Amino acid sequence: MSVGCSTVGFMKILHTSDWHIGRTFHGVDLLADQASVLGSIADSVRQHGVDVVVVPGDIYDRSIPRSDAVTVCNRGFEAIRAAGAVIVATSGNHDSAVRLGAGASFAAAGGLHLITRVGQIGTPVMLSDQFGPVAFYGIPYLEPEITRVELDVPRARTHSDILGAAMSRVRRDLAERTAADPSTRSVLLAHAFVVGGEASESERSISVGGVETVAVGEFDGVDYVALGHLHSPQMLSESVRYSGSPLPYSFGERSHRKAALLIELDAAGLSSVQRLDLPVIRGLSQVVGTLDELLTESKYADSEQCYVSALLTDPVRPVDAMRQLQARFPFAVHLEWQRPEGQSDLKYRDAVRGRTDMEIARGFVSAVRSDPSEHEVSLMTEALSAAARAEESTVELGETA
């Protein structure tokens, strides 16, 4: 299949990943935000004359996505195709490979190529430009226990073992194609945790213990490797990169500027990589202070239209704090309360040394809730007195015996 290229002849490829369509953010539905950012990706395709969009995994956030999530995803695919790009995508650890790949043959006829099965790994999507063919290989997320037999490595236990077997298939096919046509170039999509990549809070671990990681050297011999799984844009080598997710999915990502990567291939292979910043659909903000400060002070005004995580420092835990916060910050989604003295490094034994039982009891109630009322103090006094009398009675009985 030939794709239209720019006047300078480069094939232009847009690398985006980890859409996680259907994901929520602290209980808030993100479908509108996701639809908006997919529209921005389609705009980038049109603006930059992109020929191919590659999506290495985690199209959806769940193996059985909601019907409205499927609608948003399909409309995103349609917008990208209408903007002029062919799409090559693989399944990730959040996707159901079977469900995502259903109808793949039919979809390919319309320019959407879905690589979700082990059997597809050594068979690339072949596209071409004025310099010759470009082979797009896909390695979907591969669970070792499930795929090792099909990959002919029955003793494989780690993701590195599995990926090595998958890359053997890729290299074998690529060697045959380049022998037949030396102008053949290659692009690989892989959903994996590569050594050197920096994880964030919102990725779901793909295994236990450290056996999930693979070395960047596993991908040697391919002109460009489009990685998925980690949510921040990052470069592991000039030709091996993560694009990151198009939206932030945890407050730990609030400093990330989300992006897609514009790749250009010339006759020799990788020519350039350009970062295209994606629009901030809604910012993330973490605010700290007393409830009154957060509700009144002007320095928090920039957070009013952001998703907000608030840390309250009031001496007494405020009542109905989230409702009050949402009056100013309608997108407040997370709330914690932490008393200023809660950060003390004193050990409990040191903290109570020299204090009476009543002082200790009052301090405990204050620390876990708020200062006790006079009635509660009276109840604690009675309880402590009763405990003391019971202890004296026990001692007297022991002496009599």
Side-chain angles (χ1 to χ4, degrees):
M1 179 179 179
S2 179
V3 295
C5 296
S6 63
T7 55
V8 295
F10 297 128
M11 179 181 283
K12 293 187 176 182
I13 303 163
L14 192 69
H15 173 191
T16 173
S17 72
D18 294 271
W19 291 357
H20 288 279
I21 304 300
R23 187 160 186 153
T24 59
F25 186 71
H26 291 274
V28 175
D29 193 313
L30 293 179
L31 280 178
D33 293 0
Q34 292 171 328
S36 180
V37 81
L38 291 183
S40 297
I41 290 172
D43 291 341
S44 294
V45 168
R46 187 175 293 107
Q47 178 183 350
H48 295 278
V50 171
D51 303 301
V52 186
V53 171
V54 295
V55 193
D58 282 353
I59 309 297
Y60 292 108
D61 191 58
R62 295 180 180 274
S63 59
I64 306 178
R66 294 162 17 206
S67 59
D68 50 359
V70 174
T71 298
V72 167
C73 187
N74 286 344
R75 287 176 178 171
F77 281 145
E78 291 165 4
I80 290 169
R81 281 296 290 132
V86 171
I87 304 166
V88 182
T90 65
S91 50
N93 59 298
H94 282 249
D95 300 307
S96 164
V98 173
R99 290 184 176 87
L100 183 63
S105 298
F106 183 78
L112 170 59
H113 301 272
L114 297 167
I115 302 171
T116 63
R117 295 180 290 106
V118 169
Q120 296 174 279
I121 291 173
T123 306
V125 176
M126 294 302 299
L127 304 175
S128 62
D129 58 17
Q130 70 178 57
F131 299 119
V134 180
F136 287 81
Y137 294 92
I139 300 179
Y141 168 69
L142 302 173
E143 175 58 50
E145 288 296 322
I146 298 173
T147 59
R148 62 189 183 187
V149 173
E150 191 173 357
L151 282 166
D152 298 323
V153 283
R155 296 184 179 180
R157 292 293 183 273
T158 69
H159 284 266
S160 182
D161 294 336
I162 292 297
L163 188 69
M167 282 302 300
S168 293
R169 295 190 177 193
V170 170
R171 291 193 180 93
R172 184 165 54 248
D173 182 84
L174 182 58
E176 293 174 358
R177 293 181 186 277
T178 53
D181 187 344
S183 69
T184 301
R185 291 143 295 153
S186 57
V187 174
L188 174 74
L189 291 69
H191 195 84
F193 190 164
V194 181
V195 175
E198 182 179 346
S200 59
E201 296 175 0
S202 59
E203 296 105 5
R204 183 181 300 162
S205 176
I206 56 178
S207 82
V208 177
V211 294
E212 65 180 30
T213 57
V214 299
V216 69
E218 294 282 5
F219 303 108
D220 289 350
V222 179
D223 289 306
Y224 181 76
V225 179
L227 294 175
H229 182 55
L230 301 186
H231 289 181
S232 62
Q234 48 198 298
M235 179 179 73
L236 302 182
S237 75
E238 190 63 33
S239 60
V240 182
R241 301 181 186 235
Y242 286 99
S243 67
S245 59
L247 291 174
Y249 291 122
S250 71
F251 279 103
E253 296 174 50
R254 67 189 183 279
S255 62
H256 295 182
R257 184 59 198 272
K258 298 300 183 177
L261 301 176
L262 181 62
I263 316 304
E264 292 187 344
L265 300 182
D266 60 14
L270 181 63
S271 172
S272 67
V273 180
Q274 178 185 353
R275 177 190 170 105
L276 302 181
D277 285 339
L278 294 171
V280 177
I281 306 302
R282 190 174 303 284
L284 304 185
S285 180
Q286 285 190 314
V287 296
V288 181
T290 66
L291 180 59
D292 183 65
E293 290 170 346
L294 298 184
L295 294 177
T296 60
E297 293 192 4
S298 60
K299 67 180 180 180
Y300 301 110
D302 290 344
S303 299
E304 290 178 356
Q305 295 305 310
C306 296
Y307 291 117
V308 168
S309 173
L311 177 63
L312 301 182
T313 59
D314 300 74
V316 177
R317 183 168 192 154
V319 176
D320 205 14
M322 180 60 89
R323 184 189 62 78
Q324 295 184 67
L325 280 172
Q326 289 177 336
R328 182 178 188 184
F329 308 103
F331 301 98
V333 296
H334 182 249
L335 175 64
E336 292 182 56
W337 173 64
Q338 182 179 75
R339 296 187 60 185
E341 64 267 28
Q343 297 300 315
S344 173
D345 291 328
L346 288 175
K347 294 182 179 179
Y348 183 73
R349 181 182 297 173
D350 297 328
V352 302
R353 182 177 290 123
R355 301 173 67 189
T356 66
D357 289 346
M358 188 61 193
E359 288 172 337
I360 294 171
R362 291 187 63 159
F364 175 79
V365 173
S366 298
V368 299
R369 194 201 64 190
S370 60
D371 291 338
S373 65
E374 290 184 5
H375 177 63
E376 290 169 331
V377 170
S378 176
L379 291 174
M380 285 190 287
T381 300
E382 291 179 13
L384 289 171
S385 297
R389 289 195 298 271
E391 184 177 355
E392 290 173 0
S393 297
T394 302
V395 171
E396 290 174 359
L397 286 171
E399 290 175 351
T400 302

